[in-house]
Amino acid sequence: MNRLIQRTFENRGYTQDFLREINVATYDALKDIDTLAVRLKEIHDEQIPITVFPDFDVDGISSGTLGFAGLSELGFKVNLYVPNPSDGYGITPDAVADLLLRFPDTKVIITCDTGISAYEAAEYCKSIGVELLITDHHTQEASINADIVVNPMRMDETYSHPRICGAFVLYQVLQYYADLYCNYFTQDQIRRLRVFAGIGTVSDTMPLLYENRQVVKDAILICRLVYGDGTPDSIVTMQGCDIYRRAFWGLYQAMKVCEDYGIIKSANDIDEDFFGFYLAPIFNSTKRMNGDMNKTFGVFFANDSYHDMEYLYQLNVKRKELVERECNAILEADQPYAPYIYFTTASPGVLGLLAMKLMTRTGMPTFVLRDDGKSADGNRYHGSGRSPEWFPCISNLSDVISIAGHEFAFGCGIANETSLERFFRVIKHDIPEAYNSAELQEPIPDFVIATDWSEDTGIDIGLFDEYLDELELYRPFGKDFPAPMVKFVFENKDVVEWKTIGKAKQHLKISFKNAFDVLCWNQGHLITQKDSFDKHVVMGHLGRSEYQGVMSVNFVGTFVEQ
């Protein structure tokens, strides 16, 4: 084992047994997955019209895509309902009514990545004789009057590793069905759809352990095979029904757009980071920017999938510009409840991103709210929040405000100004108390590079090359199995050149001997530290870059401001 990887695993306490265990991908059957498969067989054989109802984030888009493509390939009489983010999260009676307007012959609705809290919609479906089948992965808080529920987070579930995404839940349902009722060819057709479960796993930041690791590995491999050498040869020869093949054609076109904008240069650039840092923000831009969800699903099912993907790409560019402007406006305005609560007039879709950006600055739980006046749900203030792991907001605050989602990323509502004042008093007391009692530590690097060789290593290109090659064996990296975090320490005398790069000179590049560079994105302003301090620290990771056909090792990280 490369000694830097060995150092990383030793520091984390990773044993060989642990590394073997987290790569065991077998899993038990979800509760009632057999019941759902039997019911689906009846629906299939009787050709009862069924409509897929997905959520509108990347996990929901992945779920909806694999659900529509999978059920089509299995021979169901199936429709896909495209949700509207402006209607809010979840399946409601109004959403059911809208679905029935679009697809009036629907007799069965199957949800994906949503539905477990759709109590009113379930009752409404019962009253009008529409069967409701729920596949979801959010925590069940109370019983729901649905016909069948498959959910690793339902109250009576015993599934060993319940932190799987909504797309993976629906994939398991379809694969169970195919293994039970279909021939080997069809089983393989459905297995290929796990590519969308892997994309959903990364985008929804599920732990990259056990079956999640394998489905992400498979998704990366399938994407690389679909992309190939950049030509559509693998798609042209793909078998299956039209809807099924369109889903993979759309996946190919999504990667082609990323190629055309310089994100992908070869199939090797397609990995879990590509899913998390590029695909997820691009597809999430629709809900953030109140875009056209028909174009989002159009990437996979419409005739002009390339231009639909290009639309999403440009929408994401606008989203990044908007978040930067709105964050600056928040910081320039009077914020009497800072650093916990901030007010904005920004669109609802970017409130979570603003909360994340502000939380990164303060390190504190952060709520970004809009004053919407009177609204149908009885709340005057609506917003989103983000929180560090030492303060689980839903557990701590659900009796104070309306709050839903995940513990550390959620939506919230506050009834009126009196409730807002009470909420502020609570968090002004509880957050500092939780902060002081939490065992907070500075991030500990997995290993340290020092130009004077006083730490784990100096600049050793041969060692770094070996490290980067061997590191590929331990991918994918993500939640609960993060990529190595490296500390790089150097002095001014070691530097060959300091410079700012980028159109606006917003990035910082520091060059050393042996063609070794340190790149710090959006930190060009910190170049002045070279004149104020002699010793410097960058936290980040080793990587490779290609320039004019030459591959070199570099270090990408965050320059520590002094």
Side-chain angles (χ1 to χ4, degrees), residues 406-456:
H406 301 290
E407 288 283 9
F408 311 108
F410 44 84
C412 57
I414 301 174
N416 49 46
E417 193 168 347
T418 302
S419 300
L420 174 66
E421 292 289 345
R422 184 170 78 92
F423 174 54
F424 180 61
R425 287 195 301 271
V426 169
I427 60 175
K428 190 168 66 170
H429 171 269
D430 289 359
I431 290 176
E433 189 176 80
Y435 179 85
N436 292 331
S437 62
E439 295 182 4
L440 301 176
Q441 296 179 341
E442 289 294 317
I444 299 173
D446 292 301
F447 60 89
V448 181
I449 303 169
T451 50
D452 64 2
W453 292 80
S454 61
E455 298 287 349
D456 297 303

Side-chain angles (χ1 to χ4, degrees), residues 232-295:
D233 294 347
S234 63
I235 305 301
V236 171
T237 58
M238 181 175 284
Q239 298 185 61
C241 72
D242 180 62
I243 294 297
Y244 180 88
R245 286 184 289 108
R246 280 175 182 260
F248 285 95
W249 176 252
L251 183 63
Y252 169 77
Q253 294 288 29
M255 292 185 283
K256 285 298 289 183
V257 169
C258 290
E259 174 196 287
D260 291 346
Y261 282 96
I263 296 169
I264 294 175
K265 296 181 177 64
S266 74
N268 290 332
D269 294 326
I270 301 166
D271 55 20
E272 68 273 23
D273 291 338
F274 170 69
F275 293 164
F277 297 132
Y278 295 104
L279 275 191
I282 289 170
F283 277 96
N284 272 331
S285 65
T286 315
K287 71 170 186 175
R288 307 284 189 199
M289 301 293 287
N290 196 28
D292 185 352
M293 285 299 299
N294 288 297
K295 288 185 176 294

Side-chain angles (χ1 to χ4, degrees), residues 59 76 92 102 145 171 184 313 330 423 434 483 518-519 539:
D59 187 18
F76 283 76
T92 63
R102 297 192 210 178
N145 194 16
Y171 167 75
Y184 291 134
Y313 184 92
I330 286 172
F423 174 54
V518 171
L519 303 172
M539 300 293 291

Side-chain angles (χ1 to χ4, degrees), residues 135-198:
T135 73
D136 199 354
H137 75 127
H138 296 94
T139 302
Q140 183 178 17
E141 302 289 350
S143 61
I144 183 167
N145 194 16
D147 292 273
I148 303 174
V149 174
V150 174
N151 183 346
M153 298 295 286
R154 73 183 228 184
M155 291 185 292
D156 61 342
E157 181 59 81
T158 58
Y159 190 82
S160 298
H161 310 126
R163 298 290 290 137
I164 61 175
C165 73
F168 200 6
V169 175
L170 184 55
Y171 167 75
Q172 289 192 31
V173 170
L174 298 187
Q175 192 62 63
Y176 190 97
Y177 177 96
D179 290 346
L180 200 59
Y181 298 114
C182 301
N183 59 31
Y184 291 134
F185 170 78
T186 304
Q187 291 171 18
D188 285 343
Q189 290 287 90
I190 298 303
R191 284 194 187 93
R192 192 179 291 117
L193 288 169
R194 69 192 183 279
V195 63
F196 296 104

